[in-house]
Amino acid sequence: MSGDPKKPYEVGYGKPPVATRFQKGQSGNPSGKPKKVPRLLDPGKVLEAIDNEEISVTDNGKRKRMTKVEIQFRQLFVKAIRGDMKAARLIVKMATEYFVPEARGVPEYEFIGTTEAAQRFGRDWQDRIDELNAELGYPR
């Protein structure tokens, strides 16, 4: 029965009609199960989430809730106070970067010498200073 094309094909259980069968080389499930898309990992967000977690600590005999980043800063200050120069330098660097600009405010006038002006603006520092003063509306 299987090799002779003149004999009629018997259709039944497990024997679908030839016209409705899957074509050779074509899958029965063309779209298939989608592949798993890997989640993008953002280290900054993970670190921020960990640092912002609150935990209970005992401070001067009392239980307090603090974030992990606050505890890290407190420990850094304790190290600096006890003489750890690396920790002290780090605190000074952070303080100058984050606190000093706010404390200084915006000066109305800034007085610099000719050497500083030459370093900042180059050889034609006098022309550059005159341009800046004209832009800001300062008298010459």
Side-chain angles (χ1 to χ4, degrees):
M1 213 195 259
S2 63
D4 194 3
K6 294 178 187 173
K7 290 188 177 180
Y9 174 73
E10 185 181 324
V11 176
Y13 180 77
K15 297 179 181 179
V18 177
T20 62
R21 290 183 187 176
F22 294 123
Q23 301 297 318
K24 283 200 178 254
Q26 182 180 356
S27 169
N29 186 6
S31 56
K33 183 178 178 181
K35 287 192 171 21
K36 201 175 198 180
V37 178
R39 269 187 24 209
L40 295 176
L41 180 66
D42 184 8
K45 286 184 179 179
V46 172
L47 183 61
E48 185 179 354
I50 291 170
D51 275 350
N52 289 330
E53 288 177 357
E54 282 194 350
I55 57 174
S56 295
V57 293
T58 305
D59 187 25
N60 293 331
K62 294 183 180 180
R63 308 261 316 147
K64 290 184 179 179
R65 300 216 19 103
M66 291 185 195
T67 60
K68 288 181 179 179
V69 72
E70 184 181 354
I71 294 168
Q72 290 170 344
F73 280 120
R74 287 176 182 267
Q75 288 175 343
L76 187 65
F77 269 93
V78 168
K79 281 183 179 180
I81 290 169
R82 290 186 179 159
D84 185 348
M85 290 306 292
K86 226 177 195 180
R89 283 188 196 107
L90 183 59
I91 287 175
V92 169
K93 181 181 175 188
M94 288 190 304
T96 56
E97 186 175 339
Y98 296 112
F99 299 134
V100 175
E102 293 172 3
R104 269 193 239 142
V106 179
E108 191 171 332
Y109 290 100
E110 182 180 7
F111 296 101
I112 60 174
T114 56
T115 308
E116 178 70 19
Q119 286 177 345
R120 286 192 194 178
F121 304 113
R123 290 183 183 183
D124 58 341
W125 64 270
Q126 186 64 50
D127 297 332
R128 183 70 181 125
I129 298 282
D130 291 339
E131 288 173 13
L132 286 172
N133 285 336
E135 286 176 14
L136 296 173
Y138 294 138
R140 185 172 174 179

